[in-house]
Amino acid sequence: MKRSIVIASAVVLTAAALTAPATTAQAQVPAVAAETASEYVVLYKEGADTAEAQKAVQAAGGSIVKVNTAVGVATVSTTNAGFAAAVTASPLIEGVAHNRVIGHAPAVNARAKSALKKAVESRAVEKEGRNHGGQINKKWGKKPSAEPLDEAQWDLDQMKANEAHKYETGDKRVLVGILDTGVDGTHPDIAPNFSNRLSRNFTVDIPVDANGDPVDGPCEDEPDQSCNDPANVDEDGHGTHVASSIASPLNKLGIAGVAPNVTIVNIRAGQDSGYFFLQPSVDALTYAGDIGVDVVNMSYYIDPWLFNCVDNPADSPAAQAEQATIIKATQRALNYAHRKGVTLVGAAGNEAIDYTKTNVDSGSPDFASEPGEAAYERTIPPSCVSMPGEGEHVISVASTGISKRKSYYSSFGNGYIDVAAPGGDTYDTPGNTRDVTRATLSAYPESLARANEEIDENGVPTVDYVVRDCKGSTCAYYQYLQGTSMASPRAAGVAALIVSKYGRPQWGGGFGLDPDVVEARLKASAVKTPCPPGGSYTYTRHLPAGNTVTVTHTCEGNTLRNGFYGSGIVNALKAVGH
């Protein structure tokens, strides 16, 4: 998961923005304009009249950029330095979160997103030792299926997905929404199942942050010099990997997805750089509900806070108010999608921590919405929540390696984890040394492989984490990645098979299955997996640089439900009734 990515949204308020009490005059008359404009995300009171709430925003000196009327969330631009204090004085406003400073983007020679990208799971490999040229490990001794790279898909074996495909491959009427960094809808192993008509991009590229550091890079680098990417583009690679894991078709090319005949809808909520901000995430969720999406995958957390706390003494009153707004706005959107019949699946996170215990977060806020803003260390009690993963109605997925042990990076917690699924673990090897083929293999945009010089001028991979497969003159590229971001879509794929198998035409049109029914069957069909003997795993990793890392994670619970596996490891064959 971009937890972090396996993947989040820029919303940060300075301490001064909310600490000063708003007077009546402040609520009605804009303060002196700041040198630059700022964007805020404003949450209306539940049930508030939208028109009246917009008047309150305007009275505080704000201009509406966009409004999500389904859940009462608006993006607002203002030059009023006292906007946050002024607008929250209105009884029609629930909360406000600073989105970003709007200013001139300085020239940057190249897109610097890879250096700044905060993806939760790294590229499944350290940067050392990439010299194998994209070889497939064929040592598992399995019988290859119809897809050429099946030998690399140990994950499908663990889930019994290949066996499930004898009975159910998915229904084209089942829509799976990819809330991610985008999807390469032209990828040969995605295009047959990709809906251009329904796909949308809810993000706008952000060239730099408030400190002037590159984020998505200058819009001038885009082919059309626009900050709005098309809805079939992924300039990060994460979303394409997720989409392929769910629904790469059975087409004699590359790999197979868990549900290879369902329809993929790109509902982009993530920036090129891997950040996921509040308004795009809310908009993506409500759009999924409105168009009849059956399952969404969310391998990310909403930036800039890994954990949102409403009363953490380490945070300023403004930061507390902002985090409360993120929790409330996101939960409204999750509730809306759930009511509309969307099964919500999310990555558990790659921080290798127990979410039900007290932890320390030193990486938030991870996005500068005000000049000079930076992350700081704070103690995180279990009452703080990471959104959307810890939201109500979200199925939280932990990651397993090839041996079925919980992956070393996967976060966990009894009562937090709902199910587990294969997401890879490159150190799940007999000698605890790195093996890239123990990660998961899924589609990779060729444009990124070329831009990153991971293939040569002839299209041959030059690194061991990129693989090519060709069918006639059509070639497709794939990359190995590991993370709860990779586990989550595999669980989402099983959920899509469940909807395909047991769904029915819906009143008023469409096809689907109640998300509570889907969740119940997903958990009931998962293979019950107990905590390890002794109650813990000790992970030893021998890194390529010669260093050794050892850490122990403790599993709480019983065979029926525990902190490592939840209700068990998802099983596609059992899920479809065999």
Side-chain angles (χ1 to χ4, degrees), residues 155-433:
D155 51 297
L156 295 188
D157 283 349
Q158 187 174 115
M159 303 166 58
K160 295 193 180 296
N162 279 331
E163 295 178 53
H165 294 165
K166 300 174 185 176
Y167 307 99
E168 182 63 68
T169 58
D171 190 309
K172 284 294 184 187
R173 294 174 294 178
V174 174
L175 306 179
V176 180
I178 311 299
L179 274 65
D180 216 289
T181 60
V183 176
D184 178 5
T186 67
H187 191 286
D189 216 5
I190 290 177
N193 289 336
F194 185 79
S195 174
N196 278 293
R197 180 179 64 87
L198 294 175
S199 293
R200 298 289 186 275
N201 174 18
F202 290 99
T203 70
V204 177
D205 287 352
I206 302 172
V208 297
D209 66 10
N211 291 325
D213 294 324
V215 179
D216 296 322
C219 298
E220 290 78 8
D221 284 353
E222 303 288 354
D224 61 353
Q225 297 189 354
S226 168
C227 281
N228 298 93
D229 294 328
N232 65 346
V233 166
D234 177 15
E235 294 184 331
D236 178 288
H238 189 268
T240 297
H241 197 281
V242 165
S244 169
S245 302
I246 296 171
S248 272
L250 299 174
N251 59 352
K252 306 290 186 180
L253 176 68
I255 69 161
V258 177
N261 200 41
V262 300
T263 298
I264 285 294
V265 183
N266 175 22
I267 311 179
R268 179 173 166 181
Q271 305 295 134
D272 291 339
S273 49
Y275 289 100
F276 286 74
F277 297 128
L278 181 59
Q279 182 83 53
S281 187
V282 167
D283 290 346
L285 282 166
T286 55
Y287 177 74
D290 289 340
I291 67 169
V293 164
D294 296 285
V295 181
V296 298
N297 184 81
M298 303 175 290
S299 290
Y300 66 91
Y301 72 80
I302 294 178
D303 298 287
W305 306 95
L306 171 56
F307 292 100
N308 297 278
C309 312
V310 299
D311 55 3
N312 195 322
D315 298 330
S316 68
Q320 293 176 6
E322 176 178 290
Q323 292 167 63
T325 299
I326 293 171
I327 295 171
K328 293 174 184 176
T330 306
Q331 191 58 59
R332 279 194 204 174
L334 292 170
N335 291 345
Y336 182 89
H338 182 263
R339 286 196 305 271
K340 292 279 191 171
V342 182
T343 297
L344 305 161
V345 184
N350 302 331
E351 302 83 23
I353 58 175
D354 186 335
Y355 269 41
T356 68
K357 309 300 182 186
T358 296
N359 293 291
V360 174
D361 176 21
S362 58
S364 301
D366 61 8
F367 181 87
S369 62
E370 289 289 352
E373 192 165 34
Y376 55 91
E377 185 174 292
R378 58 191 186 136
T379 299
I380 303 296
S383 58
C384 300
V385 294
S386 187
M387 299 296 284
E390 289 191 274
E392 295 177 18
H393 309 304
V394 177
I395 302 168
S396 184
V397 185
S399 175
T400 61
I402 192 170
S403 73
K404 299 184 182 180
R405 75 175 188 181
K406 182 191 76 69
S407 303
Y408 73 87
Y409 54 78
S410 178
S411 290
F412 55 102
N414 193 24
Y416 169 50
I417 299 302
D418 290 304
V419 293
D425 184 340
T426 57
Y427 290 93
D428 191 4
T429 64
N432 301 314
T433 55

